[in-house]
């Protein structure tokens, strides 16, 4: 049995088994994979994995847009050509003939949809992305590109490492401070227990979204920790660099 989810989240059937789904994202086809889908190990497995993600939203393998993620906050607009794998951590799209994706193993896979379903984003944020305000950058990029106002967006954060398991060093707090985050933000996002520090990416991302103008009632956190559920999720922190990858994927509805 998959880990329990609540609120708008549900497990739905997918070509590889189960995908996580968030009903609050409205009419867009989307989801997050589990370790039932391997996106790693061999090129063949990887190709088959991405093809299965296309199939999950009714598209052929050549319609799957991938990013070469670099832990930054650069934006790729997936409206034009489908050639190559652009270097970016945020993808935007209004093209219903393709699906945009991000891949993670502990980092946050963030999916955003306009209430019409016509404009969407997929974003990747680990600690570097969170410090770079990937969530806020995504919201502003959707407004710039599509005039999608922040209060018309719903945002869902899929499985990623939780504050239960993401122990970090004190220097990370310094890295956030140097990016301009306030002492209050750092106190809220870096929780202490037993004299140790843990980064709460769920809370930081939700705070950044609210600050960018997304109403709190339109922000949904799955609260599924990748490190806590070895049977269902890959985790870099738990398994090391050879672990597999999970994907978040989203396809807008036609204009
Ligand atoms: Zn955990």
């Amino acid at each position: 049995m998959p880990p329990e989810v609540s609120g708008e989240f549900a497990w739905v059937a997918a070509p590889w088994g189960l995908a996580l789904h968030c009903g609050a994202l409205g009419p867009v086809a989307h989801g997050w994979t589990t370790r039932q889908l391997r996106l790693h190990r061999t090129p063949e497995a990887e190709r088959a994995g991405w093809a299965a993600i296309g199939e999950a939203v009714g598209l052929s393998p050549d319609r799957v847009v991938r990013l070469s993620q670099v832990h930054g906050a650069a934006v790729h607009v997936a409206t034009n050509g489908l050639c190559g794998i652009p270097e970016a951590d945020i993808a935007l799209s209004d093209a219903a003939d393709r699906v945009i994706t991000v891949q993670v193993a502990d980092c946050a896979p963030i999916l955003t949809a306009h209430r019409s379903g016509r404009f969407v984003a997929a974003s990747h944020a680990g600690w570097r992305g969170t410090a770079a305000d990937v969530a806020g950058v995504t919201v502003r990029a959707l407004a710039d590109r599509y005039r999608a106002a922040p209060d018309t967006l719903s945002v869902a954060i899929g499985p990623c490492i939780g504050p239960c398991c993401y122990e970090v060093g004190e220097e990370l707090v310094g890295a956030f401070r140097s990016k301009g985050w306030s002492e209050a933000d750092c106190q809220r996002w870096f929780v202490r227990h037993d004299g140790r520090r843990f980064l709460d990416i769920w809370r930081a991302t939700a705070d950044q979204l609210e600050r960018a103008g997304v109403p709190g009632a339109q922000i949904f956190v799955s609260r599924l920790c990748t490190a806590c559920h070895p049977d269902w999720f890959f985790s870099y922190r738990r398994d090391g660099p050879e672990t597999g990858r999970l994907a978040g994927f989203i396809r807008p509805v036609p204009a």
Side-chain angles (χ1 to χ4, degrees):
M1 289 292 286
E4 209 173 299
V5 288
S6 59
E8 295 281 341
F9 289 92
W11 293 104
V12 299
W16 55 85
L18 290 177
L20 184 67
H21 183 266
C22 179
L25 294 182
V28 298
H30 74 277
W32 295 268
T33 65
T34 67
R35 64 180 301 158
Q36 292 170 321
L37 184 76
R38 288 210 81 87
L39 281 175
H40 207 42
R41 303 280 184 211
T42 67
E44 295 73 34
E46 190 150 345
R47 247 194 311 279
W50 292 109
I53 287 171
E55 187 189 340
V57 296
L59 292 172
S60 57
D62 62 326
R63 303 271 123 188
V64 178
V65 176
R66 294 165 53 188
L67 300 177
S68 173
Q69 298 165 191
V70 292
H71 295 280
V75 177
H76 169 67
V77 180
T79 304
N80 302 319
L82 280 161
C83 298
I85 301 181
E87 205 169 270
D89 288 86
I90 300 166
L92 308 185
S93 179
D94 65 350
D97 66 345
R98 63 202 68 180
V99 56
I100 56 174
T101 66
V102 286
Q103 55 177 317
V104 298
D106 286 342
C107 295
I110 307 165
L111 300 180
T112 303
H114 183 257
R115 64 183 168 209
S116 67
R118 287 186 47 211
F119 315 115
V120 302
S123 318
H124 158 257
W127 76 260
R128 285 186 186 82
T130 305
D133 194 21
V134 156
V137 171
T138 302
V139 170
R140 289 187 286 278
L142 283 164
D144 288 348
R145 180 82 194 184
Y146 305 120
R147 299 186 186 286
D151 65 355
T152 62
L153 303 176
S154 291
V155 188
I157 302 160
C160 61
I161 195 162
C164 39
C165 295
Y166 197 12
E167 185 174 3
V168 297
E170 204 63 37
E171 73 284 356
L172 230 62
V173 187
F176 273 65
R177 282 195 197 103
S178 71
K179 289 280 184 182
W181 298 106
S182 72
E183 204 49 49
D185 290 331
C186 293
Q187 289 299 325
R188 215 173 125 72
W189 301 344
F190 290 91
V191 294
R192 268 186 197 283
H193 39 100
D194 297 337
R196 300 185 295 164
R197 285 273 199 181
F198 297 81
L199 174 55
D200 188 343
I201 288 188
W202 301 342
R203 173 173 282 182
T205 304
D207 283 355
Q208 291 172 351
L209 290 166
E210 276 205 69
R211 231 168 272 180
V214 180
Q218 290 160 221
I219 300 166
F220 303 86
V221 183
S222 67
R223 306 188 75 79
L224 290 173
C225 171
T226 40
C228 281
H229 297 286
D231 293 342
W232 286 87
F233 306 126
F234 299 112
S235 169
Y236 189 99
R237 184 54 81 96
R238 186 191 62 227
D239 303 332
E242 288 309 306
T243 194
R245 297 291 181 273
L246 306 168
F249 55 95
I250 188 164
R251 174 193 180 187
V253 300

